[in-house]
Amino acid sequence: MARSSLKLRLREILRPFPFVHQIATSIVRLVLQAGCALLRFLSPPTSHHGLPKGFYSGCPSVRTGLLPGEVILDSQNCPPFPSDSLVKLCGLGQDTHQPWPVFWMEIPDSFLSGRSLVPRDSRGRLLAEATFSQTGDRTDPCYSHIATGSGEIITGNATSIVSRWGGDTAGNRRYGGAGYWHWLFDSVSRLALLDRFPPDTQVITPRLEPWMRWYLERLDLGGRIIETEATALTIEHFYFSSPSSMTGCWNPYAVDFLRRSFLPHASPHPTALPKRFYLIREGYTRGVTNEVEVREFFTRKGWALIAPEKLSIPDQIALFRDAEVIAGAHGSAFTNLVWSSPGARVLELVPENFMAGLFEWLARANSLRHEFLVCKADYQSNIQVDIIQLNQMIAQEIADA
């Protein structure tokens, strides 16, 4: 705990000096990588001990029939995004991660290791697709995990939705925080393949917050969940369900599954919910420095001010399903756009130094109209909203309605 606190204090001291912070972080990373590389080189290949020896891809083995399984989709064809779209401007390549196969495979006597619980074969190699990569992601925490044995043994059939992105045992499980997007799109969406597995297949999850459990209970999984913080599991019959996309990238397959599974559970009497609202963002990073001014602006326009995390999940689903216009700063509250109806409008306020196109592609997949305003931001990506530009956006939105 003391070491962790010291690390946090040093991080906060250096954060106002981005260049120094970047250099210090790079030095520490290089030292750790060099130590791991040496240890990896010296250790013999083994399934249950030491560092991983590399990666293997499961999908080709399924395609050729070497391993039991099924390829559901070879690719989700991503439509072209214009050069002035967020998807293009952010430079993250969120439109370039196709083809991305959606598949499952059976791995008898499987060993899962690391806090992201990635399958590891007898040669010490990790299943690449479990790290959200077709070739293997060396930044996944499992790649630097030193295995020390077979760990807990799970008999029978099981699958896992634990990963570095999908609310792992050390991840952000805060409702409304970054974990909300990752939980729905990187974890829950993998359960779309559950009907391909034996009916008694158990689901391995991270420790669940009540809001996370709500989604699994709506899939009738209450009695089949194995919550764990283990970093080593041996499973008698493991059914790997692949992520349906690289995280934050084009993924209408997940959108369709989530809508079919959870829209029917929206609040049945949503008449009191507003049609136009501004998403309040309190207590998170990437806030709004002139938040009071922005709230007053939307209040004068007759819009509601909404903190989604203070609503029940059924109310959130109904709120976004029936919304006409939604505005707010970039953040995981926009994950709820998955529930929105075609034709709804989205006004996203984006930090100039933290641009990402995930909500733009989600809006396009759901036939929503997405607009954005790039805002000046400090080193923590807290934005200063230009009220004049915002008013022009709102006026244009009204004119086009």
Side-chain angles (χ1 to χ4, degrees):
M1 181 64 70
R3 287 196 300 270
S4 177
S5 298
L6 176 61
K7 179 181 178 181
L8 290 174
R9 285 200 296 270
L10 288 173
R11 182 179 296 172
E12 290 305 314
I13 291 171
L14 294 175
R15 196 175 293 279
F17 310 98
F19 183 69
V20 177
H21 181 266
Q22 184 178 4
I23 292 176
T25 301
S26 298
I27 291 173
V28 171
R29 185 182 297 115
L30 287 173
V31 170
L32 292 176
Q33 288 176 349
C36 285
L38 179 62
L39 183 59
R40 200 183 314 277
F41 175 76
L42 295 175
S43 61
T46 176
S47 58
H48 293 77
H49 294 87
L51 285 165
K53 284 292 189 177
F55 297 90
Y56 74 99
S57 177
C59 192
S61 296
V62 172
R63 281 198 178 102
T64 57
L66 293 177
L67 290 175
E70 179 185 6
V71 178
I72 310 300
L73 279 179
D74 285 310
S75 177
Q76 300 181 72
N77 295 325
C78 185
F81 283 86
S83 59
D84 60 349
S85 66
L86 262 179
V87 167
K88 290 294 188 182
L89 292 175
C90 71
L92 297 177
Q94 290 170 307
D95 58 337
T96 63
H97 284 271
Q98 296 294 339
W100 185 283
V102 178
F103 73 100
W104 66 269
M105 58 187 288
E106 180 183 358
I107 312 176
D109 298 318
S110 179
F111 175 58
L112 279 55
S113 70
R115 64 178 175 88
S116 44
L117 291 179
V118 172
R120 180 167 160 169
D121 70 5
S122 59
R123 296 167 56 186
R125 300 177 304 170
L126 299 169
L127 179 59
E129 290 89 351
T131 67
F132 288 79
S133 170
Q134 296 183 56
T135 58
D137 186 351
R138 285 171 169 76
T139 67
D140 192 291
C142 67
Y143 190 65
S144 57
H145 174 73
I146 302 175
T148 57
S150 58
E152 179 185 349
I153 297 175
I154 297 177
T155 59
N157 304 307
T159 189
S160 173
I161 57 173
V162 177
S163 73
R164 69 176 299 187
W165 301 116
D168 66 20
T169 56
N172 180 1
R173 297 196 296 269
R174 182 178 183 182
Y175 184 38
Y180 186 33
W181 168 274
H182 293 304
W183 173 247
L184 282 184
F185 279 91
D186 301 336
S187 289
V188 176
S189 66
R190 295 169 71 176
L191 297 174
L193 301 180
L194 198 59
D195 61 356
R196 265 85 172 173
F197 309 153
D200 62 347
T201 299
Q202 303 168 93
V203 180
I204 300 168
T205 74
R207 294 295 180 189
L208 299 173
E209 302 295 333
W211 66 268
M212 300 167 79
R213 185 176 293 277
W214 184 92
Y215 287 97
L216 301 185
E217 289 175 346
R218 296 309 167 287
L219 296 174
D220 296 323
L221 296 177
R224 295 160 58 185
I225 297 171
I226 301 176
E227 293 184 57
T228 185
E229 293 181 343
T231 57
L233 294 174
T234 297
I235 302 173
E236 184 177 11
H237 295 288
F238 181 65
Y239 292 85
F240 172 71
S241 178
S242 72
S244 52
S245 173
M246 173 62 189
T247 187
C249 295
W250 183 252
N251 195 355
Y253 179 86
V255 171
D256 177 67
F257 170 72
L258 294 171
R259 288 177 65 85
R260 283 188 289 106
S261 300
F262 302 111
L263 270 175
H265 299 287
S267 294
H269 305 294
T271 53
L273 296 174
K275 304 294 185 183
R276 298 186 174 206
F277 51 87
Y278 168 71
L279 298 171
I280 297 172
R281 185 173 174 84
E282 293 181 330
Y284 305 109
T285 57
R286 303 192 306 276
V288 181
T289 57
N290 59 333
E291 175 74 1
V292 172
E293 185 182 14
V294 174
R295 291 187 191 183
E296 289 176 349
F297 169 83
F298 280 106
T299 299
R300 289 195 302 271
K301 295 289 185 182
W303 292 38
L305 306 178
I306 297 291
E309 68 272 17
K310 295 182 180 179
L311 300 176
S312 69
I313 296 175
D315 278 354
Q316 283 198 60
I317 295 175
L319 173 72
F320 279 78
R321 180 197 62 197
D322 297 338
E324 296 175 354
V325 192
I326 304 156
H330 174 88
S332 280
F334 277 119
T335 304
N336 286 306
L337 294 177
V338 69
W339 320 125
S340 296
S341 301
R345 299 192 171 192
V346 183
L347 310 178
E348 184 180 359
L349 308 175
V350 183
E352 61 185 356
N353 56 2
F354 196 94
M355 290 193 288
L358 66 167
F359 301 124
E360 184 179 53
W361 79 247
L362 176 55
R364 180 156 184 173
N366 248 356
S367 299
L368 314 179
R369 176 172 174 177
H370 179 275
E371 300 169 66
F372 64 94
L373 176 64
V374 178
C375 303
K376 292 182 178 180
D378 62 19
Y379 71 96
Q380 291 182 316
S381 299
N382 296 307
I383 62 174
Q384 179 80 17
V385 180
D386 187 316
I387 299 299
I388 294 177
Q389 290 184 323
L390 180 61
N391 187 54
Q392 291 173 344
M393 283 185 69
I394 298 298
Q396 186 62 45
E397 176 270 321
I398 293 173
D400 292 343

